[in-house]
Amino acid sequence: MEQQGEDSKKTVITRQMVREATERICAQNGLDAAFQEDFWQALLQDDEVYTEYVHYLVYGDFDCRACVASVTVADVLIWQIDHFKAQLDVDTTLTKRRRGSMVLLAFDTFLKMKREPEKYLPRFRKDLLLPGHCKILSVKISCYYHTVTVIIQLLTV
């Protein structure tokens, strides 16, 4: 896979490089080998999400091209941050240590959402459309700006 660099040179990103980065992220965040292998196999089955994941690894932001009923992986991350924030009020040990794994878990949930939208989309929409919660806009002018804005809103609620 090729990614356009800042200086307009193309950088070749191999599957092995992506796999090693995934293994490193899992190891750094306490995610076991079984999770890592299941995630990797699911990722290889979906070129669209794989491309989004590589984009995130290279640039540190979301491309937001992969969608399930107008929901992107950035939206899933926001949804999970909302749940994470609720857990912080109760659990001050394990949840805080897992903070770095949120992006990887968002990609994992997004892959599951693509396979079983009927299972995930109703819960996603219900959780984010309750009174007092930030509503996710289906129209995104700028995915990065939208994500940052919503994360700030969730963290301040």
Side-chain angles (χ1 to χ4, degrees):
M1 167 173 262
E2 294 182 354
Q3 292 289 329
Q4 197 72 17
E6 287 182 26
D7 58 357
S8 296
K9 293 181 183 178
K10 290 192 177 189
T11 305
V12 176
I13 308 295
T14 66
R15 284 197 189 254
Q16 184 60 34
M17 293 166 70
V18 175
R19 184 175 184 120
E20 288 170 2
T22 302
E23 289 170 355
R24 198 170 36 257
I25 293 167
C26 287
Q28 291 170 347
N29 292 288
L31 298 169
D32 64 20
F35 171 87
Q36 186 269 316
E37 187 59 28
D38 289 346
F39 174 74
W40 181 250
Q41 292 305 317
L43 195 60
L44 292 179
Q45 299 300 315
D46 193 311
D47 290 338
E48 185 180 39
V49 179
Y50 179 87
T51 301
E52 179 87 18
Y53 181 65
V54 171
H55 179 90
Y56 181 82
L57 292 176
V58 172
Y59 298 107
D61 65 4
F62 299 99
D63 195 32
C64 293
R65 291 186 188 202
C67 289
V68 178
S70 299
V71 176
T72 68
V73 71
D75 296 325
V76 172
L77 176 64
I78 293 162
W79 179 40
Q80 290 183 333
I81 286 173
D82 193 31
H83 286 271
F84 172 74
K85 194 171 158 263
Q87 288 177 344
L88 278 178
D89 294 337
V90 178
D91 176 11
T92 60
T93 55
L94 178 63
T95 308
K96 286 182 182 176
R97 288 196 308 259
R98 292 182 56 214
R99 197 175 295 199
S101 63
M102 293 301 293
V103 170
L104 193 60
L105 294 171
F107 273 100
D108 184 59
T109 300
F110 187 73
L111 284 163
K112 291 173 182 172
M113 185 181 285
K114 281 193 83 175
R115 284 192 309 264
E116 299 179 87
E118 67 284 349
K119 178 179 177 183
Y120 288 88
L121 286 173
R123 290 191 318 198
F124 175 85
R125 290 193 174 113
K126 179 182 174 228
D127 287 351
L128 290 178
L129 294 176
L130 288 173
H133 285 259
C134 183
K135 294 180 180 173
I136 301 297
L137 302 175
S138 60
V139 177
K140 295 184 178 79
I141 296 170
S142 168
C143 179
Y144 180 75
Y145 173 76
H146 171 73
T147 302
V148 170
T149 302
V150 175
I151 288 173
I152 290 170
Q153 289 174 353
L154 285 173
L155 293 176
T156 59
V157 170

